[in-house]
Amino acid sequence: MKNIAKPVHAYRAKLDGVAKTRRIAMRSRAGWAAGIALAVALAAAAWYFSFGSQPRAPPNGPPSIAVLALDNLSDDTSQGFLADGISEDLTTELARIPGLFVISRNAAFGYKGKNIKYGQIAAELGVRYILEGSIRRVGDDLRINAQLIDMTTGGHLWAERFDGAWSDIFTLQDKIVGEIAKALQLRLVAGQRAAQIAGGTDNPAAYEAYLRGLEAWNRNRPEDFPVAARHYEQAIALDPNFGAAIAELAWLYWSADGVDTRERALGLGEDEALLRSNAYLDQAAKHPSPTYYQLLADRLVWEQKSDEAIAAVQRAIALDPSDQYAYHEMSFVLTLNGRAADGLGYVEAAARVAPSWTPYRHYLAGLATFSLSRFEDAAASLEKIESQFENADFWTEYQALVVRTAAYGHLGRVADAAAAREKLKPYLIDTGDGELSGLLAMKDLPFKNYADLDRVFEGLRKAGVPELPFGFDAKSKDRLTAAEIRALFYGHEIQGRGAISGDPYWRATAADGSYRATLGARSVTGVSWFEGDVMCNANQLSPRGCRAVFRNPAGTFEAKNEYLIFRHRDRFEFSVVK
């Protein structure tokens, strides 16, 4: 390896006696893909740290490129979303060219509207080539000017003008990608364009509506959620097979679920956001896109299926290797899977494709270092979300404050823990989650291994946070163990009422943990499992809910209140009836 100032670790895999034709067959596809994905991530991280202290465009090695946001030269300034969308599509298409490293759209767009020289941009992003240009649209007429610059020489490899109708947008994009591949002497992927393979569309009107939806959602304000939803719905109406638009709509409703301000902006009642997300996710599965696989992974991990979630993220990365959000999702699921060191490696891999850190990336770094018992590092990472960013995503700030509280507890920083809990209160009001407790943290942190969850519990206890809500004593003699809860529920029916609402409550649980339940007019089917002495459930109205069970010494069978079961926000009384 030439022209690298610092040493870089190199590895080889020794496969003595294993025939080439049998290597993949001897391992599961998921494990083999995980090895490749991790190798790519570690290589990216090594490259990043080698050049990170003195960023500059690499003179050797695989070609690397950043697609800067195209300038909107249209008289209509609202057409800026087209320039951004086309730039993003070009980034995705280029990322599929073998041998070409492409910086993420978000990292490149960080320079939009700023008067910064290309040499500085290339140095900060660590790329050799810059693609820049402009777009002008008048009615259906479209003109794209693009030029490819080699930052090692400052010279233009090519500059071209592409004219056509808006209906020819995909053909124009293909021409630009082809010219870049030709200039860099790289081989294009044969067959259909990547967007079509990965849940895309060949309908220009649907594509335009989709881009308008992305523009609205990226503003990340509750009032923009219905605007984005309408554009996505329009895109799907124009092309029912537009998988990327369907997946984005599923994710929009997924992120709105449980957040009162977002649900009210969308005009949704209780449970509606999650039900819509479920429906659109099922529809998106028929035409999977990178966004679909990311959301699928996020859903799987909440259902305590992090092994399957890892496999889903691998598909997302394969479809779009330049997407930092796929690396973020891989970091999240690996950390929850018990592989926090690997999760931290994917945080650094994301930093390679998008060097500018985001609030969520700081959260991921904080969660991974917390899981490695590096509590000082965890607190420092999580504090940056508040100190360096004015507006982070709702769920990022919410979850970061929970982990911050636990980290402060381990560090004995009681005053800081109390301050973090105070900052969390408005979020708990918006979600209706009540008070912070260990049981609530358990819902939001679906670790595969209970030891990782217990690390959170210990930190929260030291911070003065109760393990259970409603004043229940976690060490009470009336609390049931996992074995007792299993014997009480599995293979039996229970009947009772909501202790707060008064609604009738019924549940029948099979021997394998699958169940049917009703509360008032609501009916669900789901599956149960155990984490410590807590029973967790997943159903179509709740991707994850964890419950403790107590005996009620004053209860009777006639009153159907011999036991109490509760989660973080509500509780029920019941008896076993069959």
Side-chain angles (χ1 to χ4, degrees), residues 131-275:
L131 178 68
E132 64 91 24
S134 63
I135 177 174
R136 180 188 296 275
R137 182 183 180 185
V138 180
D140 194 48
D141 294 329
L142 188 69
R143 169 170 292 177
I144 300 176
N145 288 294
Q147 51 185 345
L148 185 65
I149 307 170
D150 185 343
M151 298 313 303
T152 59
T153 64
H156 290 66
L157 292 185
W158 62 262
E160 189 66 67
R161 186 180 74 190
F162 302 87
D163 292 325
W166 172 246
S167 58
D168 297 328
I169 180 58
F170 303 122
T171 301
L172 296 178
Q173 288 182 6
D174 288 344
K175 287 181 179 179
I176 296 172
V177 172
E179 290 289 344
I180 293 173
K182 181 179 178 181
L184 301 183
Q185 299 181 347
L186 296 171
R187 178 180 60 84
L188 281 171
V189 177
Q192 290 180 300
R193 55 191 304 274
Q196 289 176 290
I197 297 172
T201 183
D202 56 5
N203 185 317
Y207 178 60
E208 181 174 349
Y210 167 75
L211 295 182
R212 289 185 183 275
L214 285 178
E215 180 192 38
W217 195 17
N218 285 336
R219 290 194 289 267
N220 196 30
R221 301 177 306 191
E223 61 268 28
D224 289 315
F225 272 57
V227 177
R230 284 195 297 270
H231 287 308
Y232 290 144
E233 289 165 357
Q234 181 185 6
I236 298 167
L238 291 166
D239 183 354
N241 298 328
F242 194 173
I246 301 168
E248 292 289 352
L249 191 52
W251 200 302
L252 182 146
Y253 284 118
W254 172 243
S255 67
D257 177 55
V259 183
D260 185 59
T261 51
R262 295 179 176 181
E263 290 179 335
R264 280 192 285 107
L266 288 163
L268 301 177
E270 187 179 11
D271 303 325
E272 282 189 79
L274 185 59
L275 289 174

Side-chain angles (χ1 to χ4, degrees), residues 251 367 392 436 485 567:
W251 200 302
L367 182 63
L436 176 61
I485 298 172
R567 55 177 183 157

Side-chain angles (χ1 to χ4, degrees), residues 52-125:
S53 59
Q54 295 179 330
R56 55 193 172 90
N60 296 304
S64 50
I65 188 171
V67 180
L68 301 185
L70 297 175
D71 293 328
N72 174 35
L73 300 184
S74 304
D75 294 334
D76 182 1
T77 57
S78 67
Q79 294 291 315
F81 75 94
L82 292 179
D84 292 349
I86 293 172
S87 303
E88 183 171 359
D89 244 19
L90 289 173
T91 299
T92 302
E93 297 291 333
L94 288 168
R96 289 178 54 82
I97 297 179
L100 180 62
F101 178 81
V102 184
I103 285 289
S104 79
R105 172 256 192 206
N106 297 75
F109 277 33
Y111 298 94
K112 183 179 178 180
K114 297 179 180 179
N115 187 22
I116 300 176
K117 294 182 178 179
Y118 291 154
Q120 180 182 342
I121 296 175
E124 292 178 354
L125 296 179

